[in-house]
Structures are given as structure tokens and as C-alpha cells.
Amino acid sequence: MNVNITNHPLIQHKLTMMRQTTTGCKEFRELANEISLLLGYEVTRDLPLTETEIETPVARTKSNILTDRKFAVVPILRAGLGMVDGIVSLIPSIKIGHIGLYRDPESLNPVEYYCKLPPDVAEREVFLVDPMLATGGSASAAIQVLKNHGVKHIKCVNLIAVPEGVRRINEDHPDVTIYCAALDDHLNEHGYIIPGLGDAGDRIFGTK
Ligand code: PRP
Ligand code: URA
């Protein structure tokens, strides 16, 4: 299984808070963005650097800056919206696209209802964000949408994944790296992650 799990103590602590039933909507949203920011360090770890010459107040020196690259963060609506601000705070100039998918409660298959991407998305490295990678159906479909728009470099960023979802993405899209904060145990008969955190969208938006 090809998955990158960032089990930094701060992330684990915040995820524990998110999982708890007693954590309310405001705190849940704050934690989702905080963890996304922390995951962002791992997701951007391999960005290339270019050496440049600069002047400090006391010396001339060589120092690194990020090589000019274009990025986009694409949340899977709705719940993915809860991760956008964390990524934007790391890369303030990043463009934002949206892919709307919901999971049919019976078949668990994704149903696409919206797509709006930056016009030059094909030239961008895309961070696809969604808190939950369950069956992997939604993420796989969203990745296919991005590829249909010509995107070549995609990283899938989730808060919680399960082996079923990871295997699905590894099989459907072996070129996509998955980053998550935790790999949970299994899916229940309704396709919910166990132990998970419940319905991420409902908890972020207070719809239940
Ligand atoms: C949730 C979640 C993912 C999807 C994961 O969205 O945010 O998009 O389920 O499940 P999968 O890996 O089995 O496809 P949901 O369909 O509940 O929609 P919402 O974000 O609008 O609440
Ligand atoms: N979507 C969620 O929001 N939670 C799960 O556990 C699985 C899918």
C-alpha cells in the first residue's frame, strides 16, 4: 500500500480532538484547517529549490527560494472545503478549484454535480483535499476529472484514510501519492470509516 502517513504528535493530538463526539462545529472546523496546514508541510516537502544570491544587512550570500511553480488546491465538495484555508495559509497565492461529488448512500458510488477549475489547471500541481478517504470512489472520480482536464501532477490529501480507499487509489491512479494523518481500521456496512470521526461534511457545516 502506497500511502504517506504523517503521525506528528500535534497532528495526532488534534485528530483525537476531532474524532470525539463532544467536539462542536466551530472547534471541528478549526482543527480541520490546523491539521491541513500541518499536513501541508509534508505535502510540500519535495518542492524544488533554486539557489539565489542575496544581501543580508551584513553580508552577501547564497540562499534558496522555491523554484517557480504553479499550484492549485481542489477541495471535493462539500467536506473538502474544510481543508482549504490550511493549505492557503501555507501557499497564499495558490489557485482554488472545486469538484462537487456526493456519495450515493445506497450504492456508495460518487455522483458528480459541479466542476470549476482554474483555466490553466493543466500546468499546475494539484493538491486534491477531502477529509475522508473511505471506499476511495469519490477521490478516484475527482482524480479522473482532473486528469481529463490535463492535470499531470496530483497529490491526494486526506485527514483519515482506510486501507480499502488507499488500495482503490493505488490501483486506479498509481501515479498519485496519498498523504493522510491517520490510516484507520476498516469500513462499516454503510461505508463509514471505523473508528473515523463520523460524517465530516455534517460536522464541518453543522448539518446534523
Ligand atoms: C464524504 C467525504 C468524501 C466521501 C468519501 O463526502 O467527504 O468526499 O464521502 O467516501 P468514499 O471514499 O467512499 O467516496 P459525502 O459524499 O458525504 O458528501 P459531503 O462532503 O457533501 O457531505
Ligand atoms: N464520509 C464521511 O464523511 N465519513 C466517513 O466515515 C466515510 C465517508
Side-chain angles (χ1 to χ4, degrees), residues 150-161:
V151 181
K152 285 174 197 65
H153 303 288
I154 302 167
K155 289 177 175 172
C156 181
V157 190
N158 310 106
L159 300 186
I160 303 180

Side-chain angles (χ1 to χ4, degrees), residues 103 132 134 191-193 198-200:
R103 204 169 67 148
M132 311 305 273
Y192 274 82
I193 294 179
D199 188 306

Side-chain angles (χ1 to χ4, degrees), residues 124-136:
R124 295 181 178 272
E125 176 165 346
V126 172
F127 307 136
L128 179 71
V129 295
D130 191 331
M132 311 305 273
L133 185 68
T135 65

Side-chain angles (χ1 to χ4, degrees), residues 63-109:
S63 200
N64 289 327
I65 54 169
L66 286 171
T67 305
D68 209 13
R69 276 235 196 143
K70 290 169 146 189
F71 301 100
V73 58
V74 176
I76 300 180
L77 304 180
R78 288 178 302 168
L81 288 173
M83 298 177 68
V84 171
D85 288 353
I87 301 288
V88 170
S89 55
L90 277 183
I91 311 177
S93 63
I94 199 166
K95 293 280 170 30
I96 306 173
H98 296 88
I99 295 177
L101 290 173
Y102 70 86
R103 204 169 67 148
D104 180 88
E106 299 300 323
S107 69
L108 301 184
N109 289 326

